[in-house]
Amino acid sequence: MPPMTQSSPGSGPGSGPRSGAVPIWLASASEGFECASESVDAEVRCQHTLVCMSIDRYFAWLMLAQWAAVVALSLSSSTGAGGSPHAYLALALVYGGLLTLVPVALTRIAPGEHLTRLTIAVTQMLMSFLLIHLSGGRMEAHIFASLAFLAFYLDWQLLVAASAVIVADRLLSGIFLPHSFPQSILASAALGSTTVQSWRWLELTCWILFCDIFLVAVILDRLRSLRELTAHHVERGKLLYGAYHDALTGLPNRASLVRKLTQAIDESQAGNAVFACLYLDLDRLKDVNDHFGHASGDTLLHLVAHRIKARLGEHAFLARVGGDEFVALIAPPQPESSSESSPSSLPRSLRASEVARSLLRSLRPPFELEDNHIVVAASIGISLYPRDGQDPADLLTNSERAMYRVKRTGRNDVLVFTPAMFSDARDSERAERDLCVAIEEGELQVHYQPIFHASGPVAGLEALLRWSHPTRGNIPPSEFIPLAEETGLIVQLGSFVLHEACRQASDWRNRGLLTGRIAVNVSSLELSREDYAESVILTLRQHYTPPDAIELEVTESALVHDFVLAERHLGELRRYGIRISIDDFGTGYSALGRLRQLTLDTLKIDRLFVEGVAGLDRTPGHAPDRTVVQHIIDMAHTLGMTVVAEGVETESQRAILCSLGCDQLQGFLLARPMNRQLAEDRLLLNAATLPIEDDPLSDTCARV
């Protein structure tokens, strides 16, 4: 796989991220709706802090302007009073500077903090008193302006603190006391003193109380409105978070992934860069759900997502797009710095395939789940932008195709998408569409292959599906049956074959042509359906078919898929009177104890063993094959089962199988699959009771 590279640093300002820089779409990979999980109170505090930070900046400029005004008033006051200008100027510079620089510094050090705005409230009121004293009492309204300005903080505690400062300063003021703190400072300036006027104290107190009540009411109303708006904002954030995140793992979901892919494509187009899309699917998670329950499966998914996310680190985008499917977006290789990567995260210089294999290695340690050690494997498909797709849909589809190719070829591996996969997928999709059309248009037909007794007569028939395509001709079952199993259409095909077999068996039984039974193959998907046994019995009743006229053939692999459910279905069908046969015996993984537990009626030896028997006389090395077939026949007879050998194609095979005690034979040597009319003709011939010397089967068996 070629390494992922990006444009050179010198390709211009619009050419994308510079070398060593994280792409914008990846830098924001961990961003989300963080406030969605916060409470309303926390969000109100957050919004209030932002408001206070903004007001802090305005007050910083206001206090600097007031300091300049104090200095100007100190110069004019000293000139008008005829005193020394140095005392006034010193007061303006030192005392005014202290009241200005302290709160301004706090707005830079601790913006939005409660201590900062409390300091601003106190110093602002003291600055107002200094302006009033220097103006000779002409700027007394500045007090109420300061209270109004402080109300912008939406903090009623500041108004209480400011009012307390007003009362304290007024008690020390020259309006109420003969000597005040400012007058002692300005004694050399001969400002003089005034007499105490009690009515002015009462008047000022009432005005301050009125302003406080009015402003506090406004503040509380604004805070209530802010809380309501914030509650709506938090609720909206939770809805947005739920819309773009997975509830189980907390990871982004498919909708969020599509948005991120669109953003990555837009940025990569501008910068001529590439990125990788990794499609990861956990192998056999269904087994965990079946054995431990869905709650344990959900817990395992959460643990897997956490481990994958920790392995990828911050410089990758991870989303959960399905039940056990994850998608990771990997950035182009970047020069590493020691501060960028942690020991647990992936270096960003790795290629996409190396990243994927590193993820597989990270999943190898078992997961602890309810005192059990669960080993998890995964299949990963990779697509690259822009080589494998120009939009999110193509990238996801192609990486998913590569992932499914891994599953079909052994699982627990990594595969990079190639154009050949697209061609294969396109052919598969076309074949699937054609198969759906074939079901609807009646292009499928049921053919019948006779099964013969070893002594000669027809014992029964096996129903086989054939597809006659209008343009491609006859399509062999080896092509469309696996496709039907992969797409789930095998259930519909199996139902079609069963209906046709029942209808034909009833017709031939009523006419006296069929004394045996018709065998119908059953897939693992059909056996996994909860209502399978009921549907089979209903089909037989619908066509008035005797139970002993139908035999169901089940493969060993279908039994292994879900043995408990299969045992229940087959037991119910056998009690109804339907015979059960195990097909392709010897190629699956079933135990002999399970075969005995199922109480089967027929055992069909797979053609692979029959082929081995054919070379016994000529190839001494194949002697074990004959022994295996002999043991299979003896075992089946011990269990009370009828033995059928399928795939008989030569005279030597037939002779040897008859000598080993095989009950029935099936294969091209005896009869090929034929349509309904030819099968009916064969049954008519069999019913005519030909002389034994004319029967082609009896001669060899008689000689044996």
Side-chain angles (χ1 to χ4, degrees):
M1 169 187 169
M4 297 183 296
T5 58
Q6 66 179 26
S7 59
S8 61
S11 55
S15 60
R18 298 185 305 274
S19 178
V22 180
I24 297 175
W25 64 269
L26 192 55
S28 60
S30 60
E31 294 179 0
F33 302 96
E34 290 84 357
C35 293
S37 60
E38 299 290 339
S39 64
V40 175
D41 292 336
E43 181 63 13
V44 168
R45 289 193 296 269
C46 177
Q47 296 297 328
H48 186 231
T49 300
L50 294 177
V51 171
C52 293
M53 291 174 63
S54 177
I55 301 301
D56 285 347
R57 291 192 294 269
Y58 288 111
F59 259 106
W61 288 106
L62 175 63
M63 301 196 79
L64 289 173
Q66 290 177 145
W67 189 19
V70 165
V71 173
L73 282 175
S74 67
L75 295 176
S76 63
S77 297
S78 62
T79 303
S84 172
H86 300 290
Y88 292 99
L89 186 59
L91 177 65
L93 292 177
V94 177
Y95 183 56
L98 180 65
L99 297 179
T100 300
L101 296 180
V102 171
V104 169
L106 284 177
T107 60
R108 304 292 295 178
I109 298 173
E113 297 293 335
H114 183 72
L115 176 63
T116 300
R117 54 181 180 269
L118 188 62
T119 303
I120 289 176
V122 173
T123 54
Q124 175 61 27
M125 300 314 300
L126 294 177
M127 182 66 78
S128 297
F129 303 144
L130 183 58
L131 286 170
I132 293 172
H133 287 308
L134 291 177
S135 64
R138 296 190 306 272
M139 300 180 63
E140 200 169 50
H142 194 276
I143 294 176
F144 301 100
S146 297
L147 289 175
F149 291 155
L150 292 173
F152 285 108
Y153 277 113
L154 299 181
D155 189 348
W156 60 271
Q157 296 177 359
L158 298 187
L159 297 180
V160 174
S163 300
V165 173
I166 295 174
V167 173
D169 185 84
R170 289 295 91 184
L171 289 175
L172 299 175
S173 168
I175 298 177
F176 304 109
L177 298 176
H179 299 287
S180 65
F181 173 70
Q183 285 177 332
S184 64
I185 298 178
L186 301 176
S188 60
L191 287 178
S193 61
T194 59
T195 60
V196 178
Q197 301 179 17
S198 300
W199 65 270
R200 294 194 62 188
W201 161 260
L202 180 61
E203 178 185 13
L204 184 62
T205 302
C206 290
W207 276 111
I208 292 174
L209 182 61
F210 171 77
C211 288
D212 284 348
I213 293 174
F214 176 78
L215 292 176
V216 168
V218 172
I219 289 173
L220 293 178
D221 181 69
R222 292 300 91 194
L223 287 175
R224 184 167 53 253
S225 299
L226 177 62
R227 184 179 182 82
E228 292 175 356
L229 291 174
T230 302
H232 288 297
H233 172 73
V234 170
E235 188 64 27
R236 179 176 177 271
K238 291 180 179 179
L239 293 175
L240 287 174
Y241 188 90
Y244 289 100
H245 286 78
D246 174 55
L248 176 62
T249 62
L251 293 175
N253 58 12
R254 181 177 288 272
S256 181
L257 172 65
V258 172
R259 292 179 58 182
K260 185 62 66 175
L261 269 173
T262 303
Q263 180 185 356
I265 290 173
D266 292 341
E267 181 182 339
S268 299
Q269 285 178 343
N272 193 27
V274 303
F275 63 89
C277 178
L278 277 62
Y279 205 111
L280 183 147
D281 184 89
L282 302 180
D283 296 333
R284 297 186 176 91
L285 181 66
K286 183 179 181 298
D287 295 341
V288 177
N289 291 330
D290 293 341
H291 287 85
F292 302 101
H294 288 277
S296 299
D298 291 344
T299 302
L300 181 61
L301 275 174
H302 182 79
L303 296 175
V304 169
H306 178 75
R307 186 178 292 185
I308 294 175
K309 181 64 177 175
R311 184 57 177 161
L312 288 174
E314 297 181 357
H315 300 303
F317 181 84
L318 180 65
R320 182 188 177 209
V321 297
D324 56 356
E325 297 176 346
F326 299 85
V327 172
L329 303 182
I330 307 299
Q334 304 284 351
E336 297 177 37
S337 63
S338 58
S339 62
E340 277 189 355
S341 17
S342 63
S344 61
S345 62
L346 289 168
R348 289 190 291 124
S349 62
L350 292 178
R351 299 182 181 184
S353 58
E354 295 171 342
V355 172
R357 296 192 182 279
S358 179
L359 291 179
L360 293 183
R361 289 192 297 270
S362 70
L363 294 176
R364 288 176 184 172
F367 291 86
E368 297 289 338
L369 189 65
E370 298 179 356
D371 299 329
N372 295 299
H373 297 278
I374 307 298
V375 178
V376 175
S379 302
I380 303 179
I382 302 174
S383 62
L384 295 178
Y385 173 86
R387 190 193 70 179
D388 301 327
Q390 301 289 330
D391 56 61
D394 288 343
L395 288 172
L396 290 175
T397 299
N398 292 334
S399 59
E400 187 177 13
R401 285 170 176 164
M403 180 269 294
Y404 278 117
R405 177 65 65 88
V406 174
K407 283 188 171 293
R408 288 194 295 269
T409 56
R411 304 173 184 265
N412 194 30
D413 202 356
V414 176
L415 188 63
V416 181
F417 177 81
T418 60
M421 295 182 194
F422 176 75
S423 178
D424 295 343
R426 185 171 53 189
D427 294 341
S428 178
E429 292 171 359
R430 183 173 62 250
E432 181 180 353
R433 289 195 302 268
D434 291 346
L435 185 56
C436 293
V437 173
I439 296 174
E440 297 175 357
E441 299 296 331
E443 298 175 5
L444 299 173
Q445 297 178 352
V446 176
H447 285 205
Y448 302 91
Q449 185 176 21
I451 302 173
F452 296 89
H453 288 292
S455 59
V458 174
L461 304 101
E462 181 178 2
L464 301 171
L465 192 61
R466 294 295 181 262
W467 181 8
S468 180
H469 195 276
T471 58
R472 298 168 58 190
N474 294 326
I475 300 177
S478 59
E479 290 187 14
F480 70 85
I481 292 298
L483 175 64
E485 291 178 342
E486 182 179 345
T487 59
L489 292 173
I490 191 66
V491 176
Q492 192 172 352
L493 295 183
S495 177
F496 169 75
V497 173
L498 181 62
H499 275 275
E500 287 295 313
C502 289
R503 185 183 62 81
Q504 200 60 60
S506 298
D507 179 50
W508 286 337
R509 277 288 182 97
N510 293 334
R511 296 163 57 188
L513 299 179
L514 180 65
T515 57
R517 60 195 56 86
I518 298 179
V520 177
N521 291 282
V522 180
S523 70
S524 60
L525 288 180
E526 291 178 280
L527 274 180
S528 64
R529 295 172 63 92
E530 290 290 338
D531 61 341
Y532 174 70
E534 297 177 3
S535 65
V536 171
I537 295 174
L538 182 62
T539 302
L540 266 68
R541 290 174 177 173
Q542 179 181 348
H543 296 282
Y544 303 98
T545 306
D548 63 343
I550 295 296
E551 184 174 67
L552 298 179
E553 294 188 359
V554 184
T555 62
E556 289 184 86
S557 58
L559 295 176
V560 173
H561 183 72
D562 192 340
F563 181 78
V564 176
L565 184 60
E567 181 186 15
R568 192 186 77 191
H569 286 324
L570 299 181
E572 183 177 351
L573 293 170
R574 198 168 187 274
R575 286 190 296 270
Y576 183 71
I578 300 175
R579 290 175 61 90
I580 306 298
S581 168
I582 182 166
D583 195 11
D584 301 334
F585 182 79
T587 61
Y589 307 96
S590 61
L592 296 180
R594 286 190 168 183
L595 298 182
R596 182 178 179 86
Q597 185 177 348
L598 290 173
T599 59
L600 302 169
D601 300 291
T602 304
L603 184 148
K604 300 187 73 172
I605 302 176
D606 187 74
R607 64 180 64 249
L608 292 178
F609 292 97
V610 175
E611 291 175 358
V613 169
L616 293 179
D617 295 336
R618 298 183 299 273
T619 310
H622 286 179
D625 292 342
R626 183 169 189 171
T627 304
V628 169
V629 172
Q630 180 68 69
H631 284 309
I632 291 176
I633 295 174
D634 294 342
M635 177 203 68
H637 287 164
T638 302
L639 296 176
M641 290 188 287
T642 301
V643 180
V644 179
E646 57 182 355
V648 180
E649 298 182 356
T650 65
E651 289 287 348
S652 61
Q653 290 174 351
R654 181 172 65 173
I656 293 172
L657 290 169
C658 286
S659 67
L660 295 177
C662 186
D663 301 307
Q664 298 175 3
L665 306 173
Q666 178 184 4
F668 286 177
L669 173 67
L670 310 175
R672 291 178 175 271
M674 57 192 71
N675 59 31
R676 182 193 60 81
Q677 186 58 51
L678 293 178
E680 183 173 317
D681 294 341
R682 180 65 187 184
L683 291 176
L684 286 170
L685 181 63
N686 184 75
T689 315
L690 294 176
I692 191 167
E693 61 269 19
D694 295 335
D695 194 300
L697 303 177
S698 60
D699 183 55
T700 301
C701 290
R703 290 197 303 269
V704 172

